[in-house]
Amino acid sequence: MRRALVDLLQRNAEHAETFQSKFDDVQDAQHPDVVTVCCSDSRVLQDHIWGNDEPGDIFTCGNIGNRVVQRTEDGDVVSGDVLYPVAHTGTETIVVVGHSGCGAVTATYDALTDGLSDAPGIEHCLDVLKPYLEPGVDELPSDLDRTGAINHLVEYNVDRQVEFLLDSDEIADDVDVVGVVYDFQDVYGGRRGEVHVVNVDGETSVETLREEYPDIASRVDRLWEY
């Protein structure tokens, strides 16, 4: 047996010991306030980002590229894992969480600019992202190096995922949709691990967001105001 699994089970035993009573109020139902859609990067710990250790508070979804889009025979729809808590548990806030140096955004950028061959399952995920990122690749400032281009596209991808949710008839108008970027690569100049708010219900202007939401003004930032 690989040591990694043994270690995981040991940590789970410690978790179970700590969480014995934390499920008392949520054993039969859940009503999370927020659903987060995060990139499934091992460096981005969804619950730890928010300091969350309470079952039932956050409905967490993860996939490469923090996509809210699911491709069907009838076209693109809101992914079921994102839609479920909104449709069935009363969740009224969706947070799309991108992150600096995103590998899925990088791979999509490479596929759009140089061509890329990968396993079919990975290519499927990138193919879902491509139509949403391709306009952003064409609009990138010409003076950016590769790293800068990727991090600009991280924001652009978050914006497009937020936009898709806002445009969908499946998401009610009273649901708040927020886009953020989690930074562990010193891209925004703050502390590593900080979340930077880049989009609130489709508004992306840093000045406007800081004026409209003074309680989070210090956390609003963007690399790219296009």
Side-chain angles (χ1 to χ4, degrees):
M1 181 61 64
R2 292 186 182 274
R3 186 68 207 175
L5 178 59
V6 176
D7 289 343
L8 284 178
L9 292 174
Q10 177 58 43
R11 280 182 270 173
N12 172 253
E14 295 168 0
H15 161 84
E17 180 67 27
T18 303
F19 274 62
Q20 280 298 300
S21 63
K22 289 196 174 187
F23 292 100
D24 290 348
D25 296 329
V26 293
Q27 280 188 313
D28 300 320
Q30 60 171 326
H31 301 284
D33 293 327
V34 179
V35 51
T36 61
V37 190
C38 191
C39 187
S40 52
D41 188 295
S42 65
R43 299 165 293 182
V44 184
L45 310 179
Q46 274 215 68
D47 283 306
H48 281 261
I49 289 174
W50 315 111
N52 178 49
D53 63 357
E54 293 298 325
D57 279 359
I58 301 176
F59 193 103
T60 55
C61 309
N63 58 67
I64 62 171
N66 42 271
R67 293 169 282 112
V68 304
V69 180
Q70 182 173 331
R71 184 151 293 169
T72 73
E73 292 181 356
D74 297 323
D76 289 354
V77 299
V78 176
S79 179
D81 48 2
V82 179
L83 184 59
Y84 179 84
V86 175
H88 295 291
T89 71
T91 303
E92 296 180 333
T93 301
I94 304 172
V95 181
V96 179
V97 186
H99 69 89
S100 53
C102 178
V105 171
T106 300
T108 305
Y109 172 76
D110 289 341
L112 288 168
T113 56
D114 298 321
L116 180 71
S117 178
D118 213 318
I122 296 173
E123 287 196 351
H124 169 78
C125 295
L126 302 184
D127 285 344
V128 175
L129 280 177
K130 281 179 183 178
Y132 298 95
L133 286 186
E134 188 168 12
V137 172
D138 294 337
E139 295 174 21
L140 284 169
S142 59
D143 60 344
L144 291 176
D145 61 12
R146 175 182 169 79
T147 299
I150 297 305
N151 284 315
H152 277 57
L153 286 174
V154 165
E155 285 186 353
Y156 189 87
N157 181 43
V158 168
D159 290 338
R160 298 292 73 77
Q161 305 304 312
V162 169
E163 181 180 52
F164 186 84
L165 292 168
L166 294 173
D167 288 346
S168 172
D169 293 336
E170 296 176 296
I171 303 299
D173 292 340
D174 60 352
V175 173
D176 292 327
V177 183
V178 180
V180 306
V181 176
Y182 177 76
D183 183 21
F184 54 83
Q185 295 181 331
D186 308 313
V187 172
Y188 290 84
R191 293 175 296 176
R192 291 178 183 174
E194 280 190 335
V195 163
H196 300 265
V197 178
V198 299
N199 190 316
V200 178
D201 290 328
E203 179 59 64
T204 61
S205 165
V206 171
E207 182 179 356
T208 300
L209 289 173
R210 288 176 177 171
E211 289 178 356
E212 292 188 1
Y213 306 100
D215 51 337
I216 63 167
S218 64
R219 307 303 296 275
V220 174
D221 203 357
R222 284 190 71 92
L223 301 174
W224 192 10
E225 294 198 58
Y226 42 82

